[in-house]
Amino acid sequence: MLRLGNPRRRINIALMAMAVVLSLFAGRLVQLQGLNSKTFQAKAADQRVTPEVLPAKRGSITDVNGNELAVTADAREIYLDPKEVKETQRELIATTLSAELGKPKEGIAAKLAQVDKRYMVVARDVDPLVARKIMGMGFRGVGSKPTYRRLYPGGTLAGGLVGFVGDDGFGLEGLEQAYNKTLAGQDGQQSIEIGRGGERIPMTRSTRVAPVPGRDLRLTIDRYIQWAAYEAIAKQVKAVGARSGSVIVMDVKTGQILAMANAPEVDLRNWQATSAEDRGNKAAAEVFEPGSTNKVITAAAALEAGVVAPSTIFTVPDNIQCADKVLRDAHPHPTEQMTFAQILEESSNVGTIMAGTKITDQRLHNMFTAFGFGAKSGGSIPSEEAGLLPDWQDWSGSQRCTIMYGQGISVTALQMASVYQTIANGGVRLTPTIVAGTTDEKGHLVPAAPPKQTRVISELTARQLASMLEKAVAGADGTGGAAAIEGYRVAGKTGTAMRYDQKCGGYCGYTATFVGFTPAEAPRLMALAVIQDPKKDHYGGTIAAPVFQEVMTFALKTKKIPPTGSTSLLR
Amino acid sequence: MTATTEADEQQTRTARPSWAATQLGALRELLSRPLTSYYLILGCSALLLALGLMMVLSASSIEALQMMGDPFYWFLKQSLSVGLGLPLMYVCSKLPQRYFRLAGYPLMALSIIGLVMTIFIGSSELGAQRWIYIGSLTIQPSEPAKLAMVIWGADLLARRARNGMIEWRHLLVPLMPGVAILAVLVMLGRDLGTTIVLMIIFLALLWVVGAPVRLFAGILSLLAMATVFMIISEGYRSDRIEGWLNPWGNAQGSGYQAAQGQIAMGSGGWFGLGLGSSRQKWDWLPHGESDFIFAILGEELGLMGTLTVLALFGLLCYAGLRIASRTKDPFVRLTAAACTAWIGGQAIVNIGAVIGALPITGIPLPLVSYGGSALLPTLAALGMLLSFAKREPGAAEALAARGPGPAARALSWLGLKT
């Protein structure tokens, strides 16, 4: 027989043992949850908190009346979590997504097969309604994330000017690139806690930096004039088999560009389809030798210097010796008596040289510079080039003569447009403007700073030039007859230049130009049409002038500029 | 009450004891009331059960939504178990002790049959074969085996021990073989946790009956050897030990659950993230609704919540041991003590694993964790303790003095009860 212990004592010992264990546990709990909780919170944050970028909404680009040329809309990114996708559902998911998103099924199936991956993007820029439909099917492992997509309602409308953004949301061309910082805004950042499967835990979001939406850009472009300009130049470029062409329409009194069209123009909705060289804004980027349109600057310099007047009579042969070269007029003619006005009207190279040689090279060069050659216009026009104006000391023997009629010097269409804006505006050059204003943080439009005004030539000279240019259109021997507009007085100048082409290493083909303004007596609008390398016909007066006529007629109507009587009386 | 107050005042005037002594006296008085055990068990069980149900809803909702498409799936199943368990507890609290003594052998037999069935037709999950599926019902026979073990063992020893004497043979036979059969059957199902609880019950029975201390030394050293052997024999067990000793070194492997549990506990801080706000339940913490529910509780309710749960288990154990120490009946004493050891021991092993004090053995927290098989025997045991508590000295009188309860009065008013 065995003597048993006292049960009550045993129970008390057990009670004490339990009390000791529970006290130790309580101490451990205080250590875990009270004293060391920060350590564990940090570990928890390490594995659960994931930072996220909150994309800022890119500002829109509108025309002068607020019509959208580029706009940002909500979109969804559809992604896969291949690890989560059930193997039996792969086929179904690939088929469904392929049908809904228009992506090849093989590509989606390949992404689904990479089961060790957790995040595979199937499509960006997905319409929210489509994304909602897909998410509504409740596939495990298929997710959607809000993003933005850039829409260009105008397609080719001002394509080169507006430009486009790349996949990463940065502007790659045009205004999208030039004003990227303004348009892009500032991305925000937030963090959210996630479950082990990557799912977002509700109500754990903490926003650290809110996104700052981009500013809207309002252009001076009028979309109707822009459209007419594009239609006209595109039609003509096609008709004459030209390489390209550009049209600029500018408000004479404000320097605001109303249209800046190129042909071919990039279709912003599918910019990848356009070859890289045709994606840009040629009107400001392409540099070419201007030809006869340049003669007004030589004329301006001579008039300003007081060495000639419009009525000064020259005896003009059809060729002239300049340094080592004999330079000729476009068409042979017997030596004749011409006034300076007639020289410009008939666009005589020889006559222009005879007048131009009356002033010094430096003086001529200064006039080019004053009109804005050899430098960017100062109006922050996207992808603008400065052209090539050699210093007068470097002019070779015959170059000083050819420059007078626009060969051996390179400009952009925008620079040439600016010259005629200056003449039309009584000799005061206004910096060409493309941006009317940007919105502030509250969305109110802040107008851009007024353009810089520079007097280039005297008002008298400007008036004399305008009247001479009017004769170039309306005069009996004028080269620009095709630019005449019924009911309006048009002043303008044709240009037909030999085109320097790097591809053939010399002069191949022509550049046909017409530039002018209306109404001649009180100018409101100026327009320039340039056609590069036309195959059928090549004279500015016959292929560029009709484009000018068409665009200007439309612009006059759009801007509701009343007819002021026609110049037909002069004929 | 008035008399007590007067006596207190008198005492104050004469002896002027300190404030602490007064409070201690009041507590002593409170604890010495006849119905203290009864109310403690009732109150603690109810609070733990309610807290548990709430935590099961919170902890299981995410996984239930992901896997079943219904966040309430497991909560509703647990509610059903509670709905079955509460009447069972009520019935047990009404039964006199002789019925429990009668239940010893049949329960033991049923448990052994159930465990044998588990080995042959049971389903294996997570390295342990412990479930039998009957239709949509899942039964884990090792849980009622604990209750069977308590009642059968207590009845056995109570009959053999006379006047503080027992024969060696009677002390160990057939108790020892019975335990061994259960333990071996459970171990065949690779359920280490339940084996440990069975051992705790066995040791508690021997301890309270008054077995000599040298017997314990022998059994404990035997158990230690067995443990070492089992750890070496099964690869996943040694992994678990490694995960326990160095959870952060193996945070992606064997220490993953322990590390995630500690992250949950620690990030709860003093006052917790708030009910339902656990983040670790988002697939981070495995078994957040069963074995590791204490971690989710700690995350959502903080230190205050975990200490409350600890205190509730402490009070429950205190009440159980109080019943054992106040009774004169050896069966009641042994049963009450063994039940306490079972519930308290299981709670300590579970909580210890969560807080990193003990290795993870995979047993649920009584009353709180998800699982009907564990809940029903536990509630039955607590009902049994209630029945014992009502038969403590003075308890019957106190219950009678309490008068009819509101329900009884309402029935009597309606003329349905006299």
Side-chain angles (χ1 to χ4, degrees):
Chain A
M1 287 295 264
L2 190 66
R3 186 156 190 89
L4 290 170
N6 179 359
R8 193 159 296 182
R9 228 185 71 215
R10 290 274 174 101
I11 287 170
N12 281 340
I13 292 171
L15 196 60
M16 269 186 280
M18 184 197 75
V20 168
V21 170
L22 290 186
S23 306
L24 287 175
F25 278 19
R28 170 69 175 157
L29 283 174
V30 170
Q31 184 202 12
L32 259 180
Q33 299 195 275
L35 308 178
N36 293 350
S37 72
K38 288 271 177 295
T39 323
F40 293 106
Q41 279 160 10
K43 283 182 200 286
D46 262 3
Q47 69 179 17
R48 294 200 306 253
V49 176
T50 43
E52 280 185 343
V53 172
L54 297 172
K57 190 170 181 177
R58 195 175 173 89
S60 58
I61 301 177
T62 64
D63 83 340
V64 70
N65 296 315
N67 299 304
E68 280 156 343
L69 298 172
V71 61
T72 286
D74 285 330
R76 298 286 182 276
E77 178 185 290
I78 300 289
Y79 61 86
L80 295 172
D81 183 351
K83 202 175 170 186
E84 281 285 303
V85 175
K86 287 184 190 130
E87 210 167 332
T88 49
Q89 277 204 317
R90 271 191 215 159
E91 177 69 21
L92 178 64
I93 288 178
T95 316
T96 315
L97 291 190
S98 162
E100 292 292 338
L101 300 171
K103 301 258 173 184
K105 191 181 156 192
E106 294 73 35
I108 297 172
K111 282 174 181 170
L112 279 169
Q114 300 183 47
V115 286
D116 53 330
K117 296 281 171 58
R118 303 298 314 250
Y119 193 90
M120 301 290 286
V121 175
V122 180
R124 293 195 174 88
D125 297 355
V126 178
D127 190 286
L129 289 175
V130 175
R132 213 168 130 190
K133 190 175 165 199
I134 291 171
M135 294 315 289
M137 297 171 188
F139 291 127
R140 211 170 145 79
V142 179
S144 120
K145 201 174 94 178
T147 53
Y148 292 116
R149 60 184 164 152
R150 196 70 165 159
L151 300 177
Y152 299 97
T156 53
L157 193 69
L161 175 66
V162 170
F164 46 85
V165 296
D167 281 339
D168 55 358
F170 273 93
L172 295 183
E173 277 288 354
L175 289 161
E176 292 274 33
Q177 183 188 38
Y179 285 82
N180 188 56
K181 220 170 165 186
T182 312
L183 289 164
Q186 198 87 50
D187 282 351
Q189 207 189 21
Q190 72 173 13
S191 50
I192 189 158
E193 293 189 31
I194 53 161
R196 198 181 180 197
E199 65 274 42
R200 302 147 72 96
I201 304 178
M203 294 187 287
T204 56
R205 190 192 308 270
S206 58
T207 306
R208 283 187 296 205
V209 186
V212 181
R215 307 284 169 86
D216 295 342
L217 212 58
R218 180 172 291 206
L219 307 185
T220 58
I221 297 292
D222 182 306
R223 73 167 173 180
Y224 298 110
I225 302 175
Q226 177 74 31
W227 180 82
Y230 171 68
E231 286 290 304
I233 191 70
K235 196 176 68 193
Q236 189 72 323
V237 162
K238 204 175 165 201
V240 299
R243 187 188 297 257
S244 67
S246 295
V247 170
I248 294 173
V249 181
M250 209 191 288
D251 187 316
V252 164
K253 299 287 174 203
T254 60
Q256 293 188 339
I257 297 166
L258 302 177
M260 199 175 218
N262 305 295
E265 189 85 276
V266 55
D267 181 357
L268 297 179
R269 281 181 278 208
N270 187 19
W271 56 267
Q272 290 92 338
T274 310
S275 68
E277 60 183 42
D278 284 336
R279 288 175 190 167
N281 184 21
K282 283 198 158 68
E286 188 164 21
V287 171
F288 58 92
E289 301 196 6
S292 306
T293 51
N294 214 33
K295 286 173 185 162
V296 291
I297 300 174
T298 314
L303 289 169
E304 279 285 282
V307 293
V308 290
S311 55
T312 307
I313 292 173
F314 288 89
T315 306
V316 186
D318 67 352
N319 65 79
I320 191 168
Q321 179 80 28
C322 183
D324 55 330
K325 277 187 182 155
V326 176
L327 303 170
R328 296 172 190 282
D329 271 340
H331 306 283
H333 60 85
T335 306
E336 40 186 317
Q337 300 277 316
M338 289 170 115
T339 63
F340 187 49
Q342 279 174 318
I343 288 172
L344 211 60
E345 179 188 337
E346 293 175 25
S347 198
S348 162
N349 295 344
V350 177
T352 307
I353 294 167
M354 291 168 80
T357 42
K358 288 179 185 283
I359 52 169
T360 63
D361 289 353
Q362 188 178 3
R363 201 158 187 142
L364 187 60
H365 184 270
N366 285 352
M367 190 53 76
F368 283 129
T369 314
F371 270 112
F373 282 11
K376 291 189 181 180
S377 69
S380 56
I381 316 290
S383 55
E384 192 185 354
E385 289 294 331
L388 194 68
L389 172 64
D391 205 17
W392 63 274
Q393 284 110 331
D394 302 334
W395 289 355
S396 69
S398 64
Q399 194 177 14
R400 61 179 295 273
C401 299
T402 59
I403 279 178
M404 291 176 195
Y405 62 85
Q407 299 277 185
I409 182 172
S410 293
V411 300
T412 65
L414 180 65
Q415 283 174 328
M416 190 49 78
S418 180
V419 170
Y420 283 77
Q421 178 274 325
T422 308
I423 296 165
N425 193 32
V428 177
R429 178 177 188 267
L430 298 170
T431 310
T433 320
I434 194 75
V435 175
T438 50
T439 53
D440 62 10
E441 59 269 26
K442 285 175 185 153
H444 302 305
L445 186 75
V446 179
K452 214 174 98 185
Q453 304 197 2
T454 331
R455 176 158 292 283
V456 178
I457 49 173
S458 70
E459 213 169 334
L460 176 69
T461 309
R463 221 170 37 236
Q464 287 172 340
L465 282 171
S467 132
M468 286 155 79
L469 290 172
E470 199 178 347
K471 288 199 185 90
V473 175
D477 299 320
T479 50
I485 298 168
E486 189 66 35
Y488 292 88
R489 291 170 63 183
V490 179
K493 183 77 197 78
T494 58
T496 307
M498 288 185 293
R499 185 169 182 273
Y500 182 82
D501 196 334
Q502 272 185 323
K503 279 180 195 152
C504 78
Y507 287 102
C508 312
Y510 295 88
T511 299
T513 318
F514 187 90
V515 52
F517 47 87
T518 342
E521 74 283 9
R524 294 281 304 276
L525 299 176
M526 69 75 46
L528 175 147
V530 57
I531 296 171
Q532 303 286 358
D533 198 12
K535 295 289 181 298
K536 300 173 199 156
D537 200 345
H538 61 263
Y539 290 109
T542 52
I543 62 169
V547 176
F548 169 90
Q549 195 266 355
E550 195 180 333
V551 175
M552 187 57 100
T553 308
F554 188 90
L556 286 168
K557 285 178 188 164
T558 308
K559 298 298 275 185
K560 297 193 172 67
I561 295 169
T564 51
S566 134
T567 25
S568 56
L569 293 171
L570 289 166
R571 275 182 203 261
Chain B
M1 270 314 271
T2 336
T4 327
T5 326
E6 271 173 18
D8 278 356
E9 278 171 7
Q10 229 167 17
Q11 221 175 22
T12 321
R13 252 178 274 131
T14 50
R16 291 204 169 275
S18 67
W19 175 87
T22 320
Q23 297 301 313
L24 203 65
L27 183 67
R28 212 179 278 266
E29 197 274 334
L30 197 64
L31 290 181
S32 65
R33 288 186 184 177
L35 280 177
T36 299
S37 314
Y38 180 78
Y39 283 130
L40 275 180
I41 287 176
L42 199 61
C44 290
S45 308
L47 283 174
L48 284 170
L49 198 59
L51 200 64
L53 207 54
M54 199 164 72
M55 290 317 297
V56 164
L57 171 58
S58 172
S60 71
S61 56
I62 303 305
E63 213 181 318
L65 185 63
Q66 287 171 347
M67 291 173 67
M68 305 293 176
D70 173 15
F72 300 106
Y73 184 80
W74 281 306
F75 169 70
L76 290 176
K77 282 187 89 170
Q78 180 75 351
S79 301
L80 183 70
S81 304
V82 172
L84 289 172
L86 285 180
L88 181 67
M89 183 180 180
Y90 179 77
V91 168
C92 287
S93 77
K94 291 288 175 193
L95 288 176
Q97 54 135 311
R98 59 192 157 87
Y99 287 101
F100 297 118
R101 294 191 83 146
L102 284 177
Y105 273 99
L107 263 179
M108 193 69 178
L110 278 176
S111 297
I112 291 172
I113 292 168
L115 286 169
V116 170
M117 276 168 69
T118 314
I119 288 162
F120 290 108
I121 63 164
S123 155
S124 171
E125 276 173 39
L126 315 159
Q129 185 161 1
R130 20 177 131 154
W131 289 275
I132 305 177
Y133 287 93
I134 301 173
S136 66
L137 270 177
T138 322
I139 293 173
Q140 197 179 344
S142 59
E143 293 293 341
K146 296 170 188 170
L147 180 63
M149 169 83 201
V150 166
I151 293 173
W152 177 74
D155 175 49
L156 208 66
L157 289 179
R159 274 192 275 125
R160 300 289 157 87
R162 300 231 180 266
N163 305 322
M165 303 287 276
I166 197 166
E167 277 186 50
W168 264 110
R169 194 164 51 84
H170 288 150
L171 183 64
L172 296 178
V173 181
L175 185 62
M176 195 95 143
V179 172
I181 289 170
L182 282 185
V184 165
L185 286 175
V186 169
M187 274 320 289
L188 282 176
R190 300 183 172 197
D191 188 349
L192 181 65
T194 305
T195 320
I196 289 172
V197 174
L198 287 175
M199 284 302 143
I200 289 174
I201 293 168
F202 172 60
L203 290 175
L205 285 170
L206 288 183
W207 179 258
V208 173
V209 81
V213 177
R214 61 178 187 276
L215 179 66
F216 282 91
I219 293 173
L220 281 176
S221 55
L222 207 67
L223 283 179
M225 271 156 60
T227 311
V228 168
F229 171 74
M230 283 190 299
I231 287 168
I232 293 167
S233 68
E234 286 282 0
Y236 77 91
R237 288 198 191 107
S238 61
D239 277 354
R240 280 189 181 180
I241 295 293
E242 206 186 322
W244 164 53
L245 292 175
N246 184 13
W248 295 105
N250 306 290
Q252 294 308 317
S254 56
Y256 180 78
Q257 194 177 16
Q260 293 298 334
Q262 289 182 22
I263 286 180
M265 297 288 289
S267 54
W270 292 91
F271 299 102
L273 298 173
L275 259 183
S277 305
S278 163
R279 279 95 153 111
Q280 288 295 90
K281 69 183 177 189
W282 287 75
D283 302 338
W284 288 107
L285 180 63
H287 306 302
E289 78 291 340
S290 55
D291 297 353
F292 265 64
I293 199 163
F294 192 69
I296 300 290
L297 189 140
E299 191 185 8
E300 295 196 347
L301 303 178
L303 183 62
M304 297 303 126
T306 52
L307 286 182
T308 303
V309 170
L310 214 57
L312 286 174
F313 275 112
L315 283 174
L316 193 63
C317 291
Y318 168 77
L321 292 180
R322 187 176 182 273
I323 293 169
S325 75
R326 279 164 66 105
T327 186
K328 288 192 173 65
D329 185 324
F331 172 73
V332 171
R333 177 162 59 234
L334 285 167
T335 314
C339 279
T340 308
W342 161 22
I343 294 169
Q346 196 169 323
I348 284 170
V349 171
N350 176 285
I351 293 175
V354 173
I355 64 179
L358 298 170
I360 297 171
T361 41
I363 57 173
L365 187 60
L367 295 172
V368 180
S369 284
Y370 172 80
S373 297
L375 188 64
L376 290 178
T378 310
L379 285 175
L382 288 167
M384 187 168 67
L385 286 181
L386 283 179
S387 146
F388 296 160
K390 283 195 283 192
R391 282 161 187 83
E392 272 189 30
E397 293 81 352
L399 276 173
R402 204 169 59 159
R409 267 181 286 153
L411 288 173
S412 128
W413 183 74
L414 287 169
L416 295 171
K417 193 182 177 190
T418 51

